[in-house]
Amino acid sequence: MTARPLPYGDPAHQAAHQFLVEEAALLDAADYSGWLDLLCEDIRYLMPVRVTTARGAGFDSLADMGHFDEDMYALRKRVQRLATDHAWTEDPPSRTRHFVTNVRTFRNEPGARAEFLVESAVLLFRSRGDTREADLVSAGRADLLRETGAGLRLARREITVDEAVLRTQNLAVFL
Amino acid sequence: MNFAGSQLEAVLADVRRGMIPAHVYGDPQIFALERDRLFARSWVFLAHESEIPDPGDYVVRRVLADSFIVARDESGAVRVMFNMCLHRGMQVCRAEMGNASHFRCPYHAWTYRNDGSLTGLPFHAEAYGGEDGFPREGQSLLPAPAMGIHNGLIFISLDPGAPPLPEYLGDFAFYLDFYTRQSPAGVELRGPQRWRVKANWKIGAENFAGDSYHTPHTHASVVDIGLFREPKASKRKEGALYVAGPGVGTTYKLPPGGDFASQLRYVGYPDAMIPAMAASWSAGQRALIADSGFMVSAATLFPNLSLVHNWPQIDERGTVAPFISLRQWQPVSERETEVLSWFAVDAAAPEAFKRDSYKAYLMCFGSSGMFEQDDVENWVSITEMAAGSMARRLRLNSRMGLTSAGQPIKPPLATFAGPGVAYQGFGEFNQRHWLRQWSDHLEDPR
Ligand code: FES
Ligand SMILES: [Fe+2]
């Protein structure tokens, strides 16, 4: 990214930051239908597989393989599933905390529709059961937030996870 | 090994009668035997040729603690080399994939061509007196003791005396073709997704081998949300289970009255792919679909490669798209497994199909898959329970499908077009077959 981020006092940055914090609160409350309401109908939700490559290789994630590569249909199905009485992996539910930080907001091409590129870091703490060791998932996120009549909505998210081998039993969680 | 012979004998005798001592799913002594007697001998999957299409391409994969470079050399041949430097033992290649003509050791810079041969040795003359002191000729990274390739699937064995791969695969090769040879172009693998679960590696292998019985309950949620066109979970009991050589698998019963093409269409294959499938598969393979009316689903090739084929609805319009996944249960310890899960698709398939199939895969299996999520929860729980003292007193009943006298509760299918023995309905024939192979390895002190 070549452009400078918006100053922290910029109302657009503050709105974007607040969006991410409120989104995290919904996820930690497992209010997934509330979370879906924050997404654009044309959402692309992507989490490429990271890999360990030599410094000169020119890539450190797989172009054609993700942990997630979701559209609205797929995300709705995931959320519907978690709402059934049979989603055993989250019953009892995980206790999660999404720590969102390092937020930088960029104006998307001046003159284009009212969209912002927002980069952030997320650290997910996930605890299951009473005695299991908790999991941590660290990732960077590059989001496209779109201004709509109803407020900001997420149009695209690319999650850059910081591990090649995930240390959590599944991704029955969102980042 | 301080695991007394008589103790082991008792464990294996119980396993062979389908009463499994629960501690085998969380026992470090059993794990040591698995390492020394099973993984040190068996054919183990490492990679697929499509992951290293061009000269110099490589991936690094493990068999338990042993790291191997799987590379395509400049002549186009596949090489599998132990990733440990001949000099002081440094891991030569520390990336997990890439393209390289040579691998240079980070420690003292001994350099190997991508066929493993030692080409570079700094200060060769000064340090070793040149070729006279250290002839480079014939020096190479240790090759895998045995290597074999089938349908592009690259296997190795740490036992140089292992039977040839085709002999090992035996009757299971018939079933492997449904997953890995849908056209002459063969399959291409993407991934793998890798993640670690606190579960014993055997549980996943056994589940994919034949546990159609878990589907109605464990996977009730994916049926609840209408991910499938029909209430598939209960359909599971109409499927056939087969045992064929070192492999075992499950199938779904197809709707009555279809022919080869209509059944493939039913599970979502586009017309453009069907002629190649017809040409690629034998009369017997076609008959399994057209006459017996079964479509392959989950399977396990002993010891730790599983395959899966399923066909969810991938959009609001109800488009049905089939997907294939290969997955490996890579043991880390008796209580931890690294899962490697690849998406696999016919290399000659239309791009639109590949896209749909990939979407179907991600929704169902892999690190985020909606089936896999609930599977792993179960397996982690079993592993936790197996680690204590009481698990040593519990024998898990794995005798489904047998009378108390040990006879099948119903006869094998007489009209099953595939090789091996097949039973329709629920049963633990496959898991017992898998466990028999496991027992044969563990009891052999060789
Ligand atoms: S250890 Fe590899 S060059 Fe010395
Ligand atoms: Fe399952």
Side-chain angles (χ1 to χ4, degrees):
Chain A
M1 195 145 307
T2 50
R4 301 282 309 156
L6 296 177
Y8 289 172
D10 191 296
H13 171 76
Q14 294 186 341
H17 194 165
Q18 184 166 358
F19 176 92
L20 295 182
V21 172
E22 289 178 7
E23 182 205 7
L26 287 174
L27 290 175
D28 289 336
D31 180 356
Y32 296 122
S33 63
W35 181 67
L36 283 180
D37 290 341
L38 296 183
L39 312 183
C40 295
E41 199 55 39
D42 62 347
I43 176 93
R44 178 132 187 251
Y45 182 87
L46 197 66
M47 178 170 165
V49 168
R50 287 300 281 290
V51 285
T52 304
T53 53
R55 193 173 285 283
F59 69 101
D60 69 355
S61 67
L62 299 181
D64 58 0
M65 186 65 172
H67 295 288
F68 283 118
D69 190 347
E70 310 294 298
D71 62 8
M72 197 56 160
Y73 170 83
L75 290 174
R76 275 205 187 102
K77 285 292 177 206
R78 291 178 184 280
V79 167
Q80 283 170 18
R81 190 186 96 76
L82 291 169
T84 69
D85 292 332
H86 306 121
W88 314 117
T89 190
E90 281 300 319
D91 189 5
S94 301
R95 290 168 295 270
T96 68
R97 194 71 59 193
H98 289 71
F99 296 89
V100 178
T101 178
N102 301 22
V103 180
R104 299 192 301 162
T105 306
F106 303 84
R107 206 173 286 285
N108 199 13
E109 301 158 29
R113 63 202 291 186
E115 290 181 340
F116 300 92
L117 301 170
V118 185
E119 294 189 349
S120 61
V122 63
L123 183 66
L124 171 68
F125 175 89
R126 182 186 193 192
S127 166
R128 293 196 50 65
D130 48 358
T131 58
R132 292 189 198 169
E133 242 175 86
D135 304 335
L136 286 175
V137 182
S138 167
R141 300 187 302 188
D143 295 342
L144 184 65
L145 291 189
R146 187 178 296 155
E147 192 64 69
T148 71
L152 286 173
R153 292 291 178 266
L154 183 64
R156 181 187 158 91
R157 168 165 292 165
E158 180 159 349
I159 301 157
T160 303
V161 65
D162 296 325
E163 283 173 310
V165 180
L166 304 184
R167 310 293 166 126
T168 192
Q169 71 178 31
N170 59 34
L171 290 169
V173 288
F174 300 104
L175 288 159
Chain B
M1 175 55 46
N2 52 8
F3 196 57
S6 61
Q7 255 175 297
L8 178 63
E9 257 170 52
V11 167
L12 299 183
D14 281 335
V15 168
R16 287 183 168 122
R17 65 187 177 94
M19 296 300 293
I20 304 161
H23 67 89
V24 305
Y25 298 106
D27 186 330
Q29 292 187 317
I30 292 283
F31 186 77
L33 284 172
E34 290 171 343
R35 182 193 60 216
D36 298 340
R37 298 184 173 183
L38 198 170
F39 285 98
R41 296 171 186 163
S42 188
W43 282 104
V44 180
F45 175 73
L46 276 193
H48 187 266
E49 284 203 66
S50 62
E51 297 182 89
I52 48 169
D54 300 318
D57 287 349
Y58 68 88
V59 293
V60 172
R61 296 276 155 79
R62 289 178 293 116
V63 177
L64 276 67
D66 291 323
S67 171
F68 292 91
I69 305 173
V70 185
R72 194 174 290 280
D73 72 17
E74 299 305 314
S75 77
V78 173
R79 304 279 186 162
V80 181
M81 304 156 273
F82 181 44
N83 193 5
M84 189 176 192
C85 183
L86 299 179
H87 178 224
R88 295 294 307 151
M90 176 79 190
Q91 183 173 22
V92 175
C93 178
R94 293 167 305 142
E96 64 181 283
M97 59 175 55
N99 182 285
S101 61
H102 293 77
F103 299 102
R104 180 184 297 126
C105 178
Y107 203 171
H108 313 91
W110 285 26
T111 302
Y112 306 87
R113 240 198 312 265
N114 56 18
D115 63 3
S117 55
L118 177 67
T119 56
L121 219 141
F123 308 107
H124 189 211
E126 298 89 325
Y128 291 95
E131 289 294 316
D132 192 31
F134 189 107
R136 281 172 297 189
E137 181 70 23
Q139 294 287 335
S140 106
L141 291 173
L142 292 188
M147 200 247 300
I149 301 180
H150 178 84
N151 287 359
L153 303 160
I154 303 163
F155 294 83
I156 68 166
S157 171
L158 304 191
D159 178 4
L165 181 66
E167 194 179 301
Y168 176 72
L169 293 176
D171 282 345
F172 189 67
F174 176 97
Y175 299 96
L176 260 183
D177 281 353
F178 291 111
Y179 304 91
T180 57
R181 203 167 59 85
Q182 296 187 339
S183 82
V187 77
E188 64 188 29
L189 264 60
R190 292 194 213 159
Q193 300 163 322
R194 296 167 64 195
W195 73 106
R196 289 194 174 194
V197 301
K198 296 277 194 297
N200 184 271
W201 70 276
K202 296 189 286 298
I203 305 171
E206 286 184 64
N207 174 279
F208 276 67
D211 195 338
S212 47
Y213 185 62
H214 86 294
T215 312
H217 190 65
T218 292
H219 300 305
S221 68
V222 294
V223 177
D224 294 345
I225 62 170
L227 197 58
F228 291 94
R229 177 178 39 194
E230 64 266 327
K232 259 189 119 112
S234 58
K235 280 199 62 140
R236 221 44 186 122
K237 67 180 185 303
E238 299 157 33
L241 306 165
Y242 64 84
V243 167
V248 282
T250 70
T251 64
Y252 275 100
K253 184 74 182 149
L254 292 161
D259 60 17
F260 180 74
S262 74
Q263 299 292 23
L264 287 167
R265 246 178 254 129
Y266 174 76
V267 303
Y269 286 101
D271 286 346
M273 292 177 71
I274 295 174
M277 291 163 129
S280 190
W281 294 337
S282 68
Q285 288 167 325
R286 293 194 300 272
L288 185 69
I289 295 169
D291 303 335
S292 309
F294 292 108
M295 185 63 73
V296 296
S297 188
T300 294
L301 169 62
F302 187 84
N304 66 335
L305 178 67
S306 291
L307 307 105
V308 60
H309 179 224
N310 215 324
W311 42 96
Q313 301 184 117
I314 57 149
D315 57 29
E316 312 283 359
R317 296 187 307 279
T319 304
V320 171
F323 70 87
I324 295 165
S325 171
L326 269 66
R327 64 244 333 287
Q328 185 160 44
W329 315 104
Q330 170 79 258
V332 176
S333 72
E334 72 280 1
R335 56 177 64 191
E336 187 169 24
T337 300
E338 183 174 319
V339 189
L340 291 86
S341 179
W342 291 262
F343 165 64
V345 67
D346 176 35
E351 282 308 314
F353 175 81
K354 290 184 180 179
R355 202 168 50 237
D356 288 353
S357 185
Y358 173 58
K359 183 174 178 186
Y361 163 74
L362 283 181
M363 291 179 74
C364 292
F365 280 92
S367 45
S368 69
M370 288 188 271
F371 277 84
E372 192 118 24
Q373 289 178 13
D374 289 325
D375 283 327
V376 172
E377 178 72 11
N378 294 339
W379 307 341
V380 169
S381 171
I382 294 168
T383 305
E384 282 178 353
M385 297 306 294
S389 300
M390 286 301 287
R392 297 191 171 267
R393 306 183 194 194
L394 178 62
R395 279 159 189 64
L396 304 170
N397 187 307
S398 196
R399 291 177 54 85
M400 193 193 304
L402 292 181
T403 65
S404 51
Q407 294 305 309
I409 57 175
K410 54 183 163 180
L413 276 172
T415 58
F416 191 76
V421 180
Y423 294 92
Q424 192 165 14
F426 296 135
E428 286 163 335
F429 302 99
N430 292 8
Q431 292 93 318
R432 288 192 296 272
H433 181 75
W434 188 96
L435 283 161
R436 268 194 298 276
Q437 297 175 78
W438 178 84
S439 302
D440 292 349
H441 276 90
L442 258 61
E443 83 175 349
D444 183 356
R446 158 169 69 98

